[in-house]
Amino acid sequence: MMDLIIIIRPVILLASSILIILAAVGILRFKDDIERVLYARIHILGIADVACILALLVLGEPLLALTYFVLVPFVSHAIANAHYHGEGD
Amino acid sequence: MGLLIVSEYVLMASLAVFSIAAVRIATRKSIGMGLVGISGLSIAIATLLILINRVYGIGFCRDIAYALVLLGPVGTIAFARVLRG
């Protein structure tokens, strides 16, 4: 059982790394002139957030991961809502 | 060195790359894009600080990461509230 945990932790950290790299590539890949590109970037940011939450869990910070897990949807909703009502498009 | 240490260093490198991408997004034309970039940057830096705490044993990095995770979203929501009007 301990051997399995020893293997699982680096695998989850590496998976988080891959997700974060993919989020970085995706967040830059969409050009600015695409219509309503902000909502796509908010969604891609959610992927990076979940990867960071998984990494924080593996690194032994469950309180930090849980706190951010609760706060992330509110942040995404607030940004999208502010962009829709405040800036148009 | 073990696989865990290597994966932690790989995660640090990917968080650095993501931080650069987030800063680039923050400089785009709309204000909401700045909010997206800065909130991404804050979570990347918080996770990076936890990694620094584990790899290098710097104790106060954990406290800074806690402050970032709590205060970063609060600031983003407050700014978004002002932007909405």
Side-chain angles (χ1 to χ4, degrees), chain B residues 12-83:
Chain B
M12 273 190 204
S14 65
L15 284 169
V17 170
F18 182 77
S19 298
I20 294 172
V23 167
R24 285 198 57 180
I25 287 301
T27 60
R28 296 294 200 248
K29 61 187 181 188
S30 67
I31 301 174
M33 212 68 74
L35 286 180
V36 171
I38 294 303
S39 63
L41 180 64
S42 69
I43 184 58
I45 288 181
T47 308
L48 202 51
L49 285 171
I50 292 292
L51 278 163
I52 289 173
N53 173 36
R54 278 183 62 96
V55 174
Y56 299 108
I58 302 176
F60 59 85
C61 287
R62 188 162 167 273
D63 304 323
I64 300 175
Y66 267 84
L68 262 177
V69 163
L70 283 174
L71 298 180
V74 170
T76 304
I77 291 173
F79 202 102
R81 185 67 188 171
V82 169
L83 177 60

Side-chain angles (χ1 to χ4, degrees), chain A residues 48-63:
Chain A
D49 286 334
V50 170
C52 286
I53 289 167
L54 284 178
L56 288 174
L57 278 176
V58 169
L59 294 171
E61 299 287 343
L63 183 61

